Amino acid sequence: MNNSVNILWNKCLNVIKDNVSDITFQTWFSPIVPHSYESNVFTIQVPSQFFYEYLEDKFVDLLRMTLHREIGKDTILNYRILVENTTNTHVDYRGDAKSLSVEKITPKQANKIPNPFQKVVPTDFDSQLNPKYTFDNFFEGVSNKLARTAGETIANNPGKTAFSPLFLHGTSGVGKTHLCHAIGTRILDQYPDKKVLYVSAHLFKVQYTDATRFNTVNDFINFYQGIDVLIIDDIQELVGLEKTQNTFFHIFNHLHQNNKQLILTSDKAPAELQGVEERLLTRFRWGLTTKLENPDFELRTKILKNKILQDGLSIPEDVVTFIADNVTENVRDLEGVIVSLMAYSVIYNKEVDMALAKRVIGQAIRKIEKKKLTIDSISEVVCKHFNIKTELLQTASRKREIVQARQVAMYLSKLYTELSLAQIGAVIGKKNHATVLHACKTVKDQLEVDKTFRDDLEEIEKILKK
Ligand SMILES: Nc1ncnc2c1ncn2[C@@H]1O[C@H](COP(=O)(O)OP(=O)(O)OP(=O)(O)O)[C@@H](O)[C@H]1O
């Protein structure tokens, strides 16, 4: 690289440094490599498409003005993205989305351009919190009292209580997501300068995969290490993903050491999270682990009455009690029943009465009972069919009947759950994704040629679908 390009860029960096926070500078400007300056075009090399889009979206004014000031008024900004390191494949983009040269801007327009040399404050930061979920509409009952109280304590003093991480677990629909949004929102209300981020573990995984693809893992880590309150929902999604877990491990350690607040949710307690590294599980238990139980009758009634009030419905007291008595599993199902009742009453132009409630609930309960299949429930049915103990699937045994049961459990888990091959392997016998792939292929091949085996599978699937 030309030395004078370096010198010019360093002058620009000095200006930029004064106009953004340290963390923004480290994350978004340090990784930029000045590439060339030819015919008024100043090219900067950036690590990924995402990086380019982010700079263009958030900092293009700052970049342009700096180039104009330090290099010359006619300087044109150009980005170069290295697509492939080894072959030096790259794509170029002009920083021209908003890049009118300064002289072309009329005085009227100039007034509208924000001063790019203002400090970039964390208010730019999108927390991804849903303002719909607050403490005010999160009702308290015996089932969630401890979790709610811990949440409020954290919200008053994020990172400064013994509750970091706060690990919330419980079955689907009991209010984990609602509670963690409520905590995040209250923290922001009280500490508007804090960087609070809500992210699902699924999105975290996708972002990490993109970062590895575009060679920007360091930026990814930097970004997450700069958060004050990190909320990761459905952490069980990381089961079996060794590399993502490893990266999360470093982020976790950094945040924890710096007294930042972590809030994690999962459908299982840490002890039951097979396929998550032990060193992470140990850390999950460092703060407070608390379970959100299924709501009790009193809480169910409270939530129902509130929902009815909110939706402007009129439902007799005995019907409310009937619903609270019969829909017991989780809050999401309760809300579903109210929505169905509302729909029926509109369609048939009828007041909600006990007869209608019984009809709707009859259908809802049948639907609720048709539970989602999990690896555990599949493994259980498979082992029962082949008459072997479920624990044997976890052993390294190569006995024919155990291998077969293991392969069938893997095949059906792939068919009936949304888990990846790696996740299935991590839960069934700590195998890798290639073993699961092989299992699926073996089962498919055998199904084509072996009638008895076909009957076995039909029988198992019948039980699973009941
Ligand atoms: N205590 C509560 N008070 C009021 N509403 C609640 C309460 N608990 C849950 N809800 C409501 O129930 C619905 C489901 O809750 P939520 O999505 O938080 O469950 P979850 O445990 O995160 O489920 P999943 O694991 O499937 O994501 C939401 O609409 C939420 O607002």
Side-chain angles (χ1 to χ4, degrees):
M1 185 203 325
N2 185 330
N3 205 22
S4 63
V5 176
N6 244 341
I7 294 171
L8 288 174
W9 181 240
N10 281 337
K11 278 163 69 179
C12 294
L13 283 183
N14 284 336
V15 175
I16 292 170
K17 209 181 254 166
D18 283 341
N19 286 281
V20 297
S21 67
D22 284 352
I23 176 83
T24 304
F25 185 82
Q26 286 308 329
T27 312
W28 298 107
F29 294 96
S30 294
I32 296 175
V33 179
H35 180 270
S36 56
Y37 178 45
E38 279 161 22
S39 320
N40 283 346
V41 178
F42 196 91
T43 300
I44 54 173
Q45 187 173 298
V46 297
S48 70
Q49 174 78 20
F50 171 71
F51 206 99
Y52 146 72
E53 284 170 11
Y54 195 90
L55 285 176
E56 184 68 3
D57 187 33
K58 305 272 189 238
F59 300 114
V60 70
D61 289 329
L62 174 61
L63 276 166
R64 267 182 42 237
M65 296 287 270
T66 309
L67 293 184
H68 292 166
R69 194 165 119 169
E70 296 301 315
I71 302 175
K73 272 192 175 172
D74 301 327
T75 312
I76 296 164
L77 172 62
N78 189 55
Y79 301 90
R80 171 160 296 198
I81 305 169
L82 206 55
V83 181
E84 233 298 343
N85 242 335
T86 41
T87 54
N88 197 20
T89 318
H90 61 258
V91 284
D92 277 13
Y93 291 94
R94 275 290 148 88
D96 58 2
K98 308 175 210 166
S99 183
L100 308 160
S101 75
V102 169
E103 327 54 305
K104 287 188 204 141
I105 299 172
T106 63
K108 225 174 167 187
Q109 284 171 313
N111 286 339
K112 286 190 198 147
I113 296 176
N115 175 5
F117 292 97
Q118 281 165 348
K119 270 229 178 280
V120 176
V121 290
T123 43
D124 288 347
F125 189 80
D126 186 354
S127 287
Q128 307 289 331
L129 288 166
N130 186 341
K132 197 179 98 185
Y133 296 135
T134 63
F135 275 111
D136 291 340
N137 60 17
F138 187 77
F139 294 99
E140 184 176 305
V142 186
S143 55
N144 62 23
K145 190 170 173 38
L146 177 59
R148 192 196 148 105
T149 310
E152 283 180 307
T153 312
I154 285 172
N156 290 333
N157 248 326
K160 301 227 167 60
T161 67
F163 307 153
S164 189
L166 173 66
F167 192 96
L168 299 170
H169 65 102
T171 52
S172 179
V174 289
K176 303 180 295 291
T177 304
H178 186 138
L179 183 56
C180 57
H181 278 281
I183 302 172
T185 301
R186 180 155 307 166
I187 293 177
L188 269 188
D189 281 347
Q190 311 201 73
Y191 303 92
D193 289 343
K194 290 232 182 277
K195 273 191 175 178
V196 180
L197 181 70
Y198 168 89
V199 62
S200 66
H202 178 74
L203 183 60
F204 182 87
K205 173 181 89 180
V206 170
Q207 289 173 342
Y208 172 73
T209 312
D210 278 355
T212 48
R213 196 145 41 106
F214 294 119
N215 216 2
T216 55
V217 175
N218 282 340
D219 305 329
F220 174 83
I221 294 176
N222 275 343
F223 171 77
Y224 274 96
Q225 289 185 338
I227 306 286
D228 296 310
V229 179
L230 178 60
I231 305 168
I232 304 197
D233 202 3
D234 290 325
I235 201 89
Q236 75 277 357
E237 292 265 343
L238 301 190
V239 159
L241 307 175
E242 267 175 48
K243 287 186 185 146
T244 317
Q245 285 180 28
N246 187 34
T247 302
F248 178 54
F249 174 76
H250 294 296
I251 294 170
F252 184 106
N253 283 345
H254 181 92
L255 295 180
H256 196 269
Q257 271 160 20
N258 288 287
N259 296 327
K260 306 295 183 188
Q261 181 68 48
L262 285 130
I263 301 168
L264 309 169
T265 81
S266 163
D267 65 351
K268 292 197 182 71
E272 292 160 14
L273 270 176
Q274 287 180 44
V276 172
E277 282 184 48
E278 195 49 46
R279 57 183 187 160
L280 267 179
L281 295 179
T282 314
R283 279 161 177 75
F284 291 169
R285 296 189 206 99
W286 277 353
L288 176 72
T289 299
T290 175
K291 183 172 183 189
L292 284 148
E293 303 281 353
N294 293 351
D296 59 13
F297 176 78
E298 208 183 316
L299 179 57
R300 296 199 296 271
T301 312
K302 226 190 272 182
I303 292 172
L304 272 174
K305 286 191 170 161
N306 175 66
K307 177 103 182 107
I308 290 165
L309 195 73
Q310 250 185 7
D311 294 344
L313 291 170
S314 136
I315 299 185
E317 192 73 25
D318 60 333
V319 175
V320 175
T321 309
F322 176 76
I323 301 171
D325 257 340
N326 284 280
V327 183
T328 55
E329 286 285 303
N330 67 52
V331 183
R332 192 173 289 128
D333 294 342
L334 277 179
E335 293 182 337
V337 168
I338 297 292
V339 172
S340 305
L341 276 177
M342 199 157 67
Y344 274 87
S345 103
V346 170
I347 294 166
Y348 295 109
N349 195 18
K350 256 180 98 199
E351 290 289 304
V352 175
D353 58 11
M354 191 59 109
L356 182 59
K358 282 191 172 156
R359 219 170 101 200
V360 168
I361 288 184
Q363 287 171 0
I365 289 178
R366 270 197 296 283
K367 228 162 67 203
I368 292 161
E369 280 170 353
K370 219 174 140 204
K371 291 238 169 65
K372 262 197 189 158
L373 294 175
T374 62
I375 296 189
D376 291 345
S377 60
I378 291 170
S379 300
E380 209 171 293
V381 174
V382 169
C383 289
K384 200 161 173 203
H385 181 87
F386 289 117
N387 203 16
I388 64 164
K389 285 199 176 129
T390 322
E391 305 83 80
L392 290 175
L393 294 189
Q394 304 301 337
T395 63
S397 170
R398 302 293 311 152
K399 271 197 183 156
R400 213 186 72 82
E401 66 271 22
I402 297 170
V403 170
Q404 183 173 57
R406 202 183 286 128
Q407 289 180 331
V408 170
M410 288 173 170
Y411 167 80
L412 292 173
S413 297
K414 185 70 202 133
L415 207 60
Y416 291 114
T417 73
E418 283 169 5
L419 299 169
S420 68
L421 296 170
Q423 289 174 313
I424 294 169
V427 177
I428 306 181
K430 293 204 170 56
K431 306 286 185 208
N432 63 21
H433 87 282
T435 309
V436 183
L437 190 65
H438 174 72
C440 294
K441 188 172 177 318
T442 310
V443 171
K444 265 190 220 154
D445 290 349
Q446 200 177 341
L447 278 175
E448 280 184 14
V449 293
D450 185 339
K451 163 95 172 72
T452 323
F453 187 63
R454 261 202 311 273
D455 292 344
D456 278 333
L457 272 243
E458 216 169 275
E459 186 70 19
I460 293 170
E461 290 189 65
K462 215 188 284 168
I463 296 170
L464 287 175
K465 284 176 189 164
K466 254 187 200 161

